[in-house]
Amino acid sequence: MGLWLAAPPLVLASRSASRRAVLAGAGIPVEVLPADVDERAIETQASLQSPSQPPSQIALLLARAKAGAISAKLPERLVLGADQTLALGQRLFAKPADLAAASHQLKSLRGRTHELHSAVVVARHGAVLFAHCEIARLTMRSFSDRFLAAYIEAAGSAVTASVGAYQVEGIGIQLFERIEGDHFTILGLPLLRLLQFLRQHGCLAD
């Protein structure tokens, strides 16, 4: 008997390679079926409804939208939606469109502390069974423009793959002087609470 007790794999409604790797590393079989949702439209609508909407709530809204979209297509399956927002004070950041945008974003974060809000939602039959969001706080060091240019060159297109323009599990760790929070939260998935839910739900060996 393996650790995963459910017959079909968990459906991951995300294109994130890091989330897939985290789940696989924890022994959870995953079927990837990315949700086609307009994240910027959801964020805009949330801001219009409540201008003071906290970043954690926006992350949960995005995760719920992804899980709900795929759960509607596969109602019998357990579907996981996840998303992450980056907040510098009241300012929210999105994934940089290109290397120039990544450089500009990192200059804004340089020497300051920002927050990553990582949300996960699990749904079945269109209903939310589990929703949780965790926060990590990261402080970037006051690196030089010369270092920033070298970092962008070394990281290449990977800087456009995450909301912070970095991967702390790679060379992105060189950007930081202090990190407070769970490692998996920084990677975009509050894994320990998710594992707890899956055990309670009978999907994982207890």
Side-chain angles (χ1 to χ4, degrees), residues 84-168:
Q84 185 180 67
T85 59
L86 187 157
L88 180 64
Q90 297 300 312
R91 180 183 175 188
L92 286 181
F93 286 75
K95 289 180 182 179
D98 51 33
L99 301 187
S103 179
H104 179 73
Q105 178 166 310
L106 289 170
K107 286 180 180 178
S108 297
L109 299 174
R110 177 170 54 186
R112 307 176 72 180
T113 299
H114 64 268
E115 293 183 340
L116 291 176
H117 301 252
S118 294
V120 59
V121 169
V122 179
R124 177 180 275 161
H125 293 292
V128 173
L129 304 179
F130 172 72
H132 180 67
C133 186
E134 290 187 5
I135 302 172
R137 293 175 176 84
L138 299 87
T139 303
M140 282 193 180
R141 62 186 186 85
S142 297
F143 46 79
S144 65
D145 287 346
R146 180 180 178 182
F147 170 84
L148 177 57
Y151 166 75
I152 294 290
E153 181 179 358
S157 62
V159 297
T160 65
S162 67
V163 66
Y166 57 79
Q167 286 81 38
V168 297

Coordinates of all heavy atoms in Angstrom, one line a residue, residues 84-168:
Q84 N -0.6 32.8 -6.0 CA 0.3 33.5 -5.1 C 0.3 35.0 -5.5 O 0.4 35.3 -6.7 CB 1.7 33.0 -5.2 CG 2.7 33.6 -4.2 CD 4.1 32.9 -4.4 OE1 4.7 33.1 -5.4 NE2 4.5 32.2 -3.4
T85 N 0.2 35.9 -4.5 CA 0.3 37.3 -4.8 C 1.5 37.8 -4.1 O 1.9 37.3 -3.0 CB -1.0 38.1 -4.3 OG1 -1.1 37.9 -2.9 CG2 -2.2 37.6 -5.1
L86 N 2.1 38.9 -4.7 CA 3.2 39.5 -4.0 C 2.8 41.0 -3.7 O 2.4 41.7 -4.6 CB 4.4 39.5 -5.0 CG 5.8 40.0 -4.4 CD1 6.9 39.5 -5.2 CD2 5.9 41.6 -4.4
A87 N 3.0 41.3 -2.5 CA 2.6 42.7 -2.0 C 3.7 43.4 -1.4 O 4.4 42.9 -0.6 CB 1.4 42.6 -1.0
L88 N 3.9 44.6 -1.9 CA 4.9 45.6 -1.3 C 4.1 46.7 -0.7 O 3.6 47.6 -1.4 CB 5.9 46.1 -2.3 CG 6.9 47.1 -1.8 CD1 7.9 46.4 -0.8 CD2 7.8 47.6 -3.0
G89 N 3.8 46.6 0.6 CA 2.8 47.5 1.2 C 1.4 47.3 0.5 O 0.9 46.2 0.5
Q90 N 0.9 48.3 0.0 CA -0.4 48.2 -0.7 C -0.3 47.9 -2.2 O -1.3 47.7 -2.9 CB -1.2 49.5 -0.5 CG -1.6 49.8 0.9 CD -2.4 48.7 1.6 OE1 -3.4 48.3 1.0 NE2 -2.0 48.3 2.8
R91 N 0.9 47.8 -2.7 CA 1.1 47.6 -4.1 C 1.2 46.1 -4.4 O 2.0 45.4 -3.8 CB 2.3 48.3 -4.6 CG 2.7 48.2 -6.1 CD 3.9 48.9 -6.4 NE 4.3 48.6 -7.8 CZ 5.5 49.0 -8.3 NH1 6.4 49.7 -7.6 NH2 5.8 48.7 -9.6
L92 N 0.4 45.6 -5.4 CA 0.5 44.2 -5.8 C 1.3 44.1 -7.1 O 1.2 45.0 -8.0 CB -0.9 43.7 -6.1 CG -1.8 43.4 -4.9 CD1 -3.1 42.8 -5.3 CD2 -1.1 42.4 -3.9
F93 N 2.0 43.1 -7.2 CA 2.9 42.8 -8.4 C 2.3 41.6 -9.2 O 1.8 40.7 -8.6 CB 4.3 42.5 -8.0 CG 5.1 43.8 -7.6 CD1 4.9 44.3 -6.3 CD2 6.0 44.4 -8.4 CE1 5.6 45.4 -5.9 CE2 6.7 45.5 -8.0 CZ 6.5 46.0 -6.7
A94 N 2.5 41.6 -10.5 CA 2.1 40.5 -11.4 C 3.4 40.0 -12.0 O 4.5 40.6 -11.8 CB 1.2 40.9 -12.5
K95 N 3.4 38.8 -12.6 CA 4.5 38.3 -13.3 C 5.0 39.3 -14.3 O 4.3 39.8 -15.1 CB 4.2 37.0 -14.0 CG 3.9 35.8 -13.1 CD 3.6 34.5 -13.8 CE 3.3 33.4 -12.9 NZ 2.9 32.1 -13.7
P96 N 6.3 39.6 -14.3 CA 6.9 40.5 -15.3 C 6.7 40.0 -16.7 O 6.9 38.8 -17.0 CB 8.3 40.6 -14.9 CG 8.7 39.4 -14.1 CD 7.4 39.0 -13.4
A97 N 6.4 40.9 -17.7 CA 6.2 40.4 -19.0 C 7.4 40.1 -19.8 O 7.4 39.3 -20.7 CB 5.4 41.5 -19.8
D98 N 8.5 40.7 -19.4 CA 9.8 40.5 -20.1 C 11.0 40.8 -19.2 O 10.8 41.1 -18.0 CB 9.9 41.3 -21.4 CG 9.6 42.8 -21.2 OD1 9.9 43.3 -20.1 OD2 9.0 43.4 -22.1
L99 N 12.2 40.7 -19.7 CA 13.4 40.9 -18.8 C 13.5 42.3 -18.3 O 13.9 42.6 -17.2 CB 14.6 40.5 -19.6 CG 14.7 39.1 -20.1 CD1 16.1 38.8 -20.7 CD2 14.4 38.1 -19.0
A100 N 13.1 43.3 -19.2 CA 13.1 44.7 -18.8 C 12.1 44.9 -17.6 O 12.5 45.6 -16.6 CB 12.8 45.6 -19.9
A101 N 10.9 44.3 -17.7 CA 10.0 44.5 -16.7 C 10.4 43.8 -15.4 O 10.2 44.4 -14.3 CB 8.6 43.9 -17.1
A102 N 11.1 42.7 -15.5 CA 11.6 42.0 -14.3 C 12.7 42.9 -13.6 O 12.7 43.0 -12.4 CB 12.2 40.7 -14.7
S103 N 13.6 43.5 -14.4 CA 14.6 44.4 -13.8 C 14.0 45.5 -13.1 O 14.4 45.9 -12.0 CB 15.5 44.9 -15.0 OG 16.5 45.7 -14.5
H104 N 13.0 46.2 -13.7 CA 12.3 47.3 -13.1 C 11.6 46.9 -11.8 O 11.6 47.6 -10.8 CB 11.2 47.9 -14.1 CG 10.4 49.0 -13.5 ND1 11.0 50.3 -13.4 CD2 9.2 49.1 -13.0 CE1 10.1 51.1 -12.8 NE2 9.0 50.4 -12.6
Q105 N 11.0 45.7 -11.8 CA 10.3 45.2 -10.6 C 11.3 44.9 -9.5 O 11.0 45.3 -8.3 CB 9.6 43.9 -11.0 CG 8.8 43.2 -9.8 CD 7.8 42.2 -10.2 OE1 7.0 42.4 -11.1 NE2 7.9 41.0 -9.7
L106 N 12.4 44.3 -9.8 CA 13.4 44.0 -8.8 C 14.0 45.3 -8.2 O 14.4 45.3 -7.0 CB 14.5 43.1 -9.4 CG 14.0 41.7 -9.6 CD1 15.1 40.9 -10.4 CD2 13.7 40.9 -8.3
K107 N 14.1 46.3 -9.0 CA 14.6 47.6 -8.5 C 13.6 48.2 -7.5 O 14.0 48.8 -6.5 CB 14.8 48.6 -9.6 CG 16.0 48.3 -10.5 CD 16.2 49.3 -11.6 CE 17.5 49.0 -12.4 NZ 17.6 50.0 -13.5
S108 N 12.3 47.9 -7.7 CA 11.3 48.4 -6.7 C 11.3 47.6 -5.4 O 11.0 48.2 -4.4 CB 9.9 48.2 -7.4 OG 9.8 49.0 -8.5
L109 N 11.7 46.3 -5.5 CA 11.8 45.5 -4.3 C 13.1 45.6 -3.6 O 13.2 45.2 -2.4 CB 11.5 44.0 -4.7 CG 10.2 43.7 -5.4 CD1 10.1 42.3 -5.8 CD2 9.0 44.0 -4.4
R110 N 14.1 46.0 -4.2 CA 15.5 46.1 -3.7 C 15.5 46.9 -2.4 O 15.0 48.0 -2.2 CB 16.4 46.7 -4.7 CG 17.8 46.9 -4.3 CD 18.7 47.3 -5.4 NE 18.2 48.5 -6.2 CZ 18.8 49.0 -7.3 NH1 19.8 48.4 -7.8 NH2 18.3 50.1 -7.8
G111 N 16.2 46.2 -1.4 CA 16.3 46.9 -0.1 C 15.1 47.0 0.8 O 15.1 47.7 1.8
R112 N 14.0 46.3 0.4 CA 12.7 46.4 1.1 C 12.2 45.0 1.4 O 12.6 44.0 0.8 CB 11.7 47.2 0.2 CG 12.3 48.5 -0.2 CD 11.3 49.3 -1.1 NE 10.2 49.8 -0.4 CZ 9.2 50.5 -1.0 NH1 9.2 50.7 -2.3 NH2 8.2 50.9 -0.3
T113 N 11.2 45.0 2.3 CA 10.5 43.7 2.6 C 9.2 43.6 1.9 O 8.4 44.5 2.0 CB 10.4 43.6 4.2 OG1 11.6 43.7 4.8 CG2 9.7 42.3 4.5
H114 N 9.0 42.5 1.2 CA 7.7 42.3 0.6 C 7.1 41.0 1.2 O 7.7 40.2 1.8 CB 7.8 42.2 -0.9 CG 8.6 41.1 -1.4 ND1 10.0 41.2 -1.7 CD2 8.3 39.8 -1.8 CE1 10.4 40.0 -2.1 NE2 9.4 39.2 -2.2
E115 N 5.8 40.8 0.8 CA 5.1 39.6 1.3 C 4.6 38.7 0.1 O 4.1 39.2 -0.9 CB 3.9 40.0 2.1 CG 4.2 40.6 3.5 CD 3.0 41.0 4.3 OE1 1.9 41.0 3.7 OE2 3.1 41.2 5.5
L116 N 4.8 37.4 0.3 CA 4.2 36.5 -0.6 C 3.0 35.8 0.1 O 3.1 35.3 1.2 CB 5.2 35.4 -1.0 CG 6.4 35.8 -1.9 CD1 7.3 34.6 -2.1 CD2 5.9 36.3 -3.2
H117 N 1.8 35.9 -0.6 CA 0.6 35.3 -0.1 C 0.3 34.1 -1.0 O -0.1 34.2 -2.1 CB -0.6 36.3 -0.1 CG -0.3 37.5 0.7 ND1 -0.9 37.8 1.9 CD2 0.6 38.6 0.5 CE1 -0.5 38.9 2.4 NE2 0.4 39.4 1.5
S118 N 0.4 32.9 -0.4 CA 0.2 31.6 -1.2 C -1.0 31.0 -0.7 O -1.2 30.6 0.4 CB 1.4 30.7 -1.0 OG 2.6 31.3 -1.5
A119 N -2.0 30.8 -1.7 CA -3.3 30.2 -1.4 C -3.5 28.9 -2.1 O -3.0 28.7 -3.2 CB -4.4 31.2 -1.8
V120 N -4.2 28.0 -1.4 CA -4.5 26.7 -2.0 C -6.0 26.4 -1.8 O -6.5 26.7 -0.7 CB -3.7 25.6 -1.5 CG1 -3.8 25.4 0.0 CG2 -4.0 24.2 -2.2
V121 N -6.7 25.9 -2.8 CA -8.1 25.6 -2.7 C -8.3 24.2 -3.3 O -7.7 23.9 -4.3 CB -9.0 26.6 -3.4 CG1 -10.4 26.0 -3.5 CG2 -9.0 27.9 -2.7
V122 N -9.0 23.3 -2.6 CA -9.3 22.0 -3.1 C -10.8 21.9 -3.3 O -11.6 22.2 -2.4 CB -8.8 20.9 -2.2 CG1 -9.2 19.5 -2.7 CG2 -7.3 21.0 -2.0
A123 N -11.2 21.4 -4.4 CA -12.7 21.4 -4.8 C -13.1 20.0 -5.3 O -12.2 19.3 -5.9 CB -13.1 22.5 -5.7
R124 N -14.3 19.7 -5.2 CA -14.9 18.5 -5.8 C -16.4 18.8 -6.0 O -17.0 19.4 -5.2 CB -14.8 17.2 -4.9 CG -15.4 16.0 -5.5 CD -15.3 14.8 -4.6 NE -14.0 14.1 -4.9 CZ -13.4 13.3 -4.0 NH1 -13.9 13.1 -2.9 NH2 -12.3 12.7 -4.4
H125 N -16.9 18.4 -7.2 CA -18.3 18.7 -7.5 C -18.6 20.2 -7.5 O -19.7 20.6 -7.2 CB -19.3 18.0 -6.6 CG -19.3 16.5 -6.8 ND1 -19.7 15.8 -7.9 CD2 -18.8 15.5 -5.9 CE1 -19.6 14.5 -7.8 NE2 -19.0 14.3 -6.6
G126 N -17.6 21.0 -7.8 CA -17.7 22.4 -7.8 C -17.8 23.1 -6.4 O -17.9 24.3 -6.3
A127 N -17.7 22.3 -5.3 CA -17.7 22.8 -4.0 C -16.3 22.9 -3.4 O -15.5 22.0 -3.6 CB -18.6 21.9 -3.1
V128 N -16.1 23.9 -2.6 CA -14.8 24.1 -2.0 C -14.7 23.2 -0.7 O -15.5 23.4 0.2 CB -14.5 25.5 -1.6 CG1 -13.2 25.7 -0.8 CG2 -14.4 26.4 -2.9
L129 N -13.8 22.3 -0.7 CA -13.6 21.4 0.5 C -12.5 21.9 1.4 O -12.6 21.7 2.6 CB -13.2 20.0 0.0 CG -14.1 19.3 -1.0 CD1 -13.6 17.9 -1.3 CD2 -15.5 19.2 -0.4
F130 N -11.6 22.7 0.9 CA -10.5 23.2 1.7 C -10.0 24.5 1.1 O -9.8 24.6 -0.2 CB -9.4 22.1 1.7 CG -8.1 22.6 2.4 CD1 -8.0 22.8 3.7 CD2 -7.0 22.8 1.6 CE1 -6.8 23.2 4.3 CE2 -5.8 23.2 2.2 CZ -5.7 23.4 3.6
A131 N -9.7 25.5 1.9 CA -9.1 26.7 1.4 C -8.2 27.3 2.5 O -8.6 27.3 3.7 CB -10.2 27.8 1.1
H132 N -7.0 27.7 2.1 CA -6.0 28.1 3.1 C -5.0 29.0 2.4 O -4.7 28.8 1.2 CB -5.3 26.9 3.7 CG -4.3 27.3 4.7 ND1 -4.6 27.9 5.9 CD2 -2.9 27.2 4.7 CE1 -3.5 28.1 6.6 NE2 -2.5 27.7 5.9
C133 N -4.5 30.0 3.1 CA -3.5 31.0 2.6 C -2.5 31.2 3.7 O -2.8 31.4 4.9 CB -4.2 32.3 2.2 SG -3.0 33.4 1.4
E134 N -1.2 31.2 3.3 CA -0.1 31.5 4.2 C 0.7 32.6 3.7 O 0.8 32.8 2.5 CB 0.7 30.2 4.5 CG 0.0 29.2 5.3 CD 0.9 28.0 5.7 OE1 2.1 28.1 5.4 OE2 0.4 27.0 6.3
I135 N 1.4 33.3 4.6 CA 2.2 34.5 4.2 C 3.7 34.2 4.6 O 4.0 33.7 5.6 CB 1.7 35.7 4.9 CG1 0.2 36.0 4.6 CG2 2.6 36.9 4.5 CD1 -0.4 37.1 5.4
A136 N 4.6 34.6 3.7 CA 6.0 34.7 3.9 C 6.5 36.1 3.7 O 6.0 36.8 2.8 CB 6.8 33.7 3.0
R137 N 7.5 36.5 4.5 CA 8.1 37.8 4.3 C 9.5 37.7 3.9 O 10.3 37.0 4.6 CB 7.9 38.6 5.6 CG 6.4 38.9 6.0 CD 6.3 39.6 7.3 NE 4.9 39.9 7.5 CZ 4.0 39.1 8.0 NH1 4.3 37.8 8.3 NH2 2.7 39.4 8.2
L138 N 9.9 38.4 2.8 CA 11.2 38.3 2.3 C 11.8 39.7 2.1 O 11.1 40.6 1.6 CB 11.2 37.6 0.9 CG 10.6 36.2 0.9 CD1 9.1 36.2 0.7 CD2 11.3 35.4 -0.3
T139 N 13.0 39.9 2.6 CA 13.7 41.1 2.5 C 14.9 41.0 1.5 O 15.8 40.2 1.7 CB 14.3 41.6 3.9 OG1 13.2 41.6 4.8 CG2 15.0 42.9 3.8
M140 N 14.8 41.8 0.5 CA 15.9 41.9 -0.5 C 17.0 42.8 0.0 O 16.8 43.8 0.6 CB 15.4 42.4 -1.9 CG 14.6 41.4 -2.6 SD 14.4 41.9 -4.4 CE 13.5 40.5 -5.0
R141 N 18.2 42.4 -0.3 CA 19.4 43.2 0.1 C 19.5 44.3 -0.9 O 18.9 44.3 -2.0 CB 20.7 42.3 0.1 CG 21.0 41.7 -1.3 CD 22.2 40.8 -1.1 NE 22.6 40.3 -2.4 CZ 23.5 40.9 -3.2 NH1 24.0 42.1 -2.9 NH2 23.8 40.4 -4.4
S142 N 20.3 45.3 -0.6 CA 20.5 46.5 -1.5 C 21.6 46.2 -2.5 O 22.7 46.7 -2.4 CB 20.8 47.7 -0.6 OG 19.7 48.0 0.2
F143 N 21.3 45.3 -3.4 CA 22.3 44.9 -4.4 C 22.5 46.0 -5.4 O 21.7 46.9 -5.6 CB 21.8 43.6 -5.1 CG 20.4 43.6 -5.6 CD1 20.0 44.3 -6.7 CD2 19.5 42.9 -4.8 CE1 18.7 44.2 -7.1 CE2 18.1 42.9 -5.2 CZ 17.7 43.6 -6.3
S144 N 23.6 46.0 -6.1 CA 24.0 47.0 -7.1 C 23.3 46.8 -8.4 O 22.8 45.7 -8.7 CB 25.5 47.0 -7.3 OG 25.9 45.7 -7.9
D145 N 23.3 47.8 -9.2 CA 22.8 47.7 -10.6 C 23.6 46.7 -11.4 O 23.1 46.0 -12.2 CB 22.8 49.1 -11.3 CG 21.7 50.0 -10.8 OD1 20.8 49.5 -10.0 OD2 21.8 51.2 -11.0
R146 N 24.9 46.6 -11.1 CA 25.8 45.7 -11.8 C 25.4 44.3 -11.5 O 25.3 43.4 -12.4 CB 27.2 45.9 -11.4 CG 28.2 45.0 -12.1 CD 29.6 45.3 -11.6 NE 30.6 44.4 -12.2 CZ 31.9 44.4 -12.0 NH1 32.4 45.3 -11.1 NH2 32.7 43.5 -12.5
F147 N 25.1 44.0 -10.2 CA 24.7 42.7 -9.8 C 23.3 42.3 -10.4 O 23.1 41.2 -10.9 CB 24.5 42.5 -8.3 CG 23.8 41.3 -7.9 CD1 24.5 40.1 -7.8 CD2 22.5 41.2 -7.6 CE1 23.9 38.9 -7.4 CE2 21.8 40.1 -7.3 CZ 22.5 38.9 -7.2
L148 N 22.4 43.3 -10.4 CA 21.1 43.1 -11.0 C 21.2 42.7 -12.5 O 20.5 41.7 -12.9 CB 20.2 44.3 -10.9 CG 18.8 44.2 -11.5 CD1 18.0 43.1 -10.9 CD2 18.1 45.5 -11.2
A149 N 22.0 43.4 -13.2 CA 22.2 43.1 -14.7 C 22.8 41.7 -14.8 O 22.3 40.9 -15.7 CB 23.1 44.1 -15.3
A150 N 23.7 41.3 -14.0 CA 24.3 40.0 -14.1 C 23.3 38.9 -13.7 O 23.3 37.8 -14.3 CB 25.5 39.9 -13.1
Y151 N 22.5 39.2 -12.7 CA 21.4 38.2 -12.3 C 20.4 38.0 -13.4 O 20.1 36.9 -13.7 CB 20.7 38.7 -11.0 CG 19.4 38.0 -10.7 CD1 19.5 36.7 -10.2 CD2 18.2 38.6 -11.0 CE1 18.3 36.0 -10.0 CE2 17.0 37.9 -10.8 CZ 17.1 36.6 -10.3 OH 15.9 35.9 -10.0
I152 N 20.0 39.1 -14.0 CA 19.0 39.0 -15.1 C 19.6 38.2 -16.3 O 18.9 37.3 -16.8 CB 18.5 40.4 -15.6 CG1 17.8 41.1 -14.5 CG2 17.7 40.3 -16.9 CD1 16.4 40.6 -14.2
E153 N 20.8 38.4 -16.6 CA 21.5 37.7 -17.6 C 21.6 36.2 -17.3 O 21.4 35.3 -18.1 CB 22.9 38.3 -17.9 CG 23.6 37.6 -19.1 CD 25.0 38.2 -19.4 OE1 25.3 39.1 -18.7 OE2 25.7 37.6 -20.2
A154 N 22.0 35.9 -16.1 CA 22.2 34.5 -15.7 C 20.8 33.8 -15.6 O 20.7 32.6 -16.0 CB 22.9 34.5 -14.3
A155 N 19.8 34.4 -15.0 CA 18.5 33.8 -14.8 C 17.7 33.6 -16.1 O 17.0 32.7 -16.3 CB 17.7 34.5 -13.8
G156 N 17.9 34.6 -17.0 CA 17.2 34.5 -18.3 C 15.7 34.6 -18.2 O 15.2 35.3 -17.3
S157 N 15.0 33.9 -19.0 CA 13.6 33.9 -19.1 C 12.9 33.4 -17.8 O 11.7 33.6 -17.6 CB 13.1 33.2 -20.3 OG 13.4 31.8 -20.2
A158 N 13.7 32.7 -17.0 CA 13.1 32.2 -15.7 C 12.5 33.3 -14.9 O 11.6 33.1 -14.0 CB 14.1 31.4 -15.0
V159 N 13.1 34.5 -15.0 CA 12.6 35.7 -14.2 C 11.1 36.0 -14.5 O 10.5 36.7 -13.7 CB 13.5 36.9 -14.3 CG1 14.9 36.6 -13.8 CG2 13.5 37.4 -15.7
T160 N 10.6 35.6 -15.7 CA 9.2 35.9 -16.0 C 8.3 34.8 -15.6 O 7.1 34.9 -15.8 CB 9.1 36.1 -17.6 OG1 9.4 34.9 -18.2 CG2 10.0 37.2 -18.0
A161 N 8.8 33.8 -15.0 CA 8.0 32.6 -14.6 C 7.3 32.7 -13.2 O 6.5 31.9 -12.9 CB 8.8 31.3 -14.7
S162 N 7.8 33.7 -12.5 CA 7.2 33.8 -11.1 C 6.9 35.3 -10.8 O 7.5 36.2 -11.4 CB 8.2 33.3 -10.0 OG 9.3 34.1 -10.0
V163 N 6.0 35.5 -9.9 CA 5.5 36.8 -9.6 C 6.6 37.7 -9.1 O 6.6 39.0 -9.2 CB 4.3 36.8 -8.6 CG1 4.7 36.3 -7.3 CG2 3.6 38.1 -8.5
G164 N 7.6 37.1 -8.4 CA 8.7 37.9 -7.8 C 9.9 38.1 -8.7 O 10.8 38.8 -8.3
A165 N 9.9 37.5 -9.9 CA 11.0 37.5 -10.8 C 12.2 36.8 -10.2 O 13.4 37.2 -10.5 CB 11.4 38.9 -11.2
Y166 N 12.0 35.8 -9.4 CA 13.0 35.0 -8.8 C 12.5 33.6 -8.4 O 11.3 33.4 -8.2 CB 13.6 35.7 -7.5 CG 12.6 36.0 -6.4 CD1 12.1 35.0 -5.6 CD2 12.0 37.3 -6.3 CE1 11.2 35.3 -4.6 CE2 11.1 37.6 -5.3 CZ 10.6 36.5 -4.5 OH 9.7 36.8 -3.5
Q167 N 13.5 32.7 -8.2 CA 13.2 31.4 -7.6 C 14.2 31.2 -6.5 O 15.4 31.1 -6.7 CB 13.4 30.3 -8.6 CG 12.2 30.2 -9.7 CD 12.4 31.2 -10.8 OE1 13.5 31.4 -11.3 NE2 11.3 31.7 -11.3
V168 N 13.8 31.2 -5.3 CA 14.7 31.1 -4.1 C 15.4 29.8 -4.1 O 16.5 29.7 -3.4 CB 14.0 31.4 -2.8 CG1 13.4 32.8 -2.7 CG2 12.9 30.3 -2.5

